[in-house]
Amino acid sequence: MIIFQDLGKDYGSVRAVDSLSLSVMPGKVTGFLGPNGAGKTTTMRMLLGLDSPSRGSATINGVGYAQLLAPLRTVGALLEPRTGHRGQRADSHLTGLARSNKIPVVRVQQVLEEVGLGDTGKRRIGTFSLGMRQRLGIAAALLGDPEILIFDEPVNGLDADGVAWIRGLMRAKAAAGATVFVSSHLMSEMQSTADQLVVIGRGKLLAHDSMDHVLASSAQNSVVVSSPHIGILAGALEKAGFTVAMSGIESLQVTAATPTLVGGIAHELGLRINELSLQRASLEQAYTELTAQSLDYVPTGIVEES
Amino acid sequence: MSHKNVVDSSIERNATLSRSSGARPSFGAAMFFEATKLWAVRSTRITLASALIAHIGLSWLLAFSAKASGDNGYESFMPAPYMSLASLQLAQLFVAALAALSITSEYSNGTIFSSLQAVPLRARLLGAKAAVIGILGFVFGLLLIGAGTLLAAPAAGHYGAFGADELLIALFGGGFYLGALSMMMLGVGVLLRSTAGAITSAFVLIFGLPQILPLFNIQWLQDLAFYLPTNAGQILGTGQTEPYGATVAVLVLVLWTLVLLGSGIWVFKRRDA
C-alpha cells in the first residue's frame, strides 16, 4: 500500500506539491490525473525516493522507498521512457537490474516476452523506437514481479495495439492483487482502466474517489428524451426547473436530471415517449469540471499581484 | 498476437517467484550491477583498447628514443618499467574519461533513474560504482605498465635495463595511481553531472595545474605542485624519495580520492536525482 502523508515539495517559491494526503489501495488501478505541471511526476519521484520531500512523507508498505530491502521485488516503476544506455543491449540492461536485486536472471527473457520484445533482447537500446523503449521500461518494472506498479504516462509512444495491451496488463495485475498507480493526461484512457481516481491541480488534491462516484457526481450527467409532443414537454421541464436544450427534431437534452424525474413529468402530462436515456458524463467532462474548480485555488501571491 | 494470453501466463508465473523469499541484495550485488553496466557498453571496451594502444605505442617510442640518444652519447638511461610509467601521461586521460563517463552518461541518458530505483541507497550505489571503477583502474594500470614494459625493454636494450624491484614498484605504483585517479574522476563526474565539464576538469588536474603552479614565484604554490595527484603517482611509481617517499605518496593519493569522491557522495546523497 502506498501512503502519502501531508506530502509537499517546493522549488524555490513555487509550491509544486501541496499537503497531499491519501492512500493507494491494492487490488485496484488508481488513476492519477492532473493537467501538465500539476505535480504528478514530482509526486511519483518523491514516492520513489528520487526527490526528497520538502514536507511530509510518501511511504510504501510503511517505509520510505530507500528502506525497501529489495526495491525492484516490491515496486516496479516506469518513470522515464528514455532509460538505459543507447549502446547497451536490452537484455543486458535488464540483467544488470536483476543482479542488483538478486532476481533470477531467467526473468529477463520472461519479461521481454511478456512485453512483446522477446526476440529483440540482443539489440542495442539505441536502435529501439519510442514505443519499444516504453515496452522495455515496462519490462524493467515487471522484472521483480512486484506487488506495486507505478507508471508515469505509460501509453506515451505506444500504438493502439500497445495501448490496449497495457490497459489489459494493468487490469490483470490489479485483479491479481497488485497496487497499480498510474498517471495520465489521457482522460479517456483512464475511464476504461482505473477503478479509483486521484485528481490533483496546482499540487493540491482535488478529488480522491471511485471512478463511479466521480462520474455520477458530475453536473454533466443528462437525460435525452424524445417525444412527438416535444414543445409541451420542454415547457413542463423548464417549469420544473430543469435546463433543456433541443438535441434533435423531436428530442431534448435535460441537464442534471435522471430518467425517473423526466419520465415522471411526461407521465403526469400523459405524453408519449419514444426515447428516454441517461447520458453519462465522460471522465473528460467530469475532469474539466474538477480542474476548472481548481482555478479557484489561485496562489495568493498571484492574486495580490493582479 | 494475443495480449491476453501473455498477461495470463504472467499471472501464473507469480507463483514461481516468491516476493518475500530470496536473499537481501548486498553491496556485492550492487557492484555486480555496476560491473554489468560498465562492461556491457561498447564504448568502455573501445576506450580501454585505445588506452592500451596509445600506452604501448608511447612506451615503445620512449624506449626507442632512449636507445637512439644513448647510442649518440647522451645520458638516457631509464629502467624500462619507468618508461612505461611515464607513458601513463597519455593513457590516464582515457581512464579518467571512462571513470567520469560512468556517471555522467547515466545523467545524460536517464539511466540514473533506473539505477536509483534498483539501488536507492545513494552511498551504496556510488560506493559500488567507485569500487568497480577503482578495481578496474588498478588492474588496467597493472596491465598497461606490464604491456608497456614488455615493448619498451627490447626496444631500449641496455639503456632500459631493470630489476624485479623496479618492475614491481612501477606495476603497483601505476596501478594504485590509476585506481585512485579513476575514483577521483568519478567524484568529479558526480559533482558536475556533465561529461564535458568532468573531462575539462581532468585536463586541468592532470596537465594544467602541474604546469601552472611552478610558474608562480611563490614557494608554497611551487611546493603544492608536488602534492598534485599526477606528481604523487610519478613519485610512487618510480620509487623516488624526494621530496617525499612512497608512504606520503600513497597518503596524498588517498587524500585526493577521499576529498573528491567523498564530496561527490556527500552531494549525491543530498541532491534530487
Side-chain angles (χ1 to χ4, degrees), chain B residues 127-154:
Chain B
K129 199 185 269 292
V132 168
I133 280 286
I135 291 169
L136 177 72
F138 178 75
V139 173
F140 191 62
L142 296 183
L143 175 75
L144 287 183
I145 299 295
T149 306
L150 215 60
L151 250 83

Side-chain angles (χ1 to χ4, degrees), chain A residues 140-154:
Chain A
L142 298 177
L143 194 61
D145 195 18
E147 66 197 90
I148 295 171
L149 288 171
I150 298 169
F151 290 156
D152 193 14
E153 304 276 358

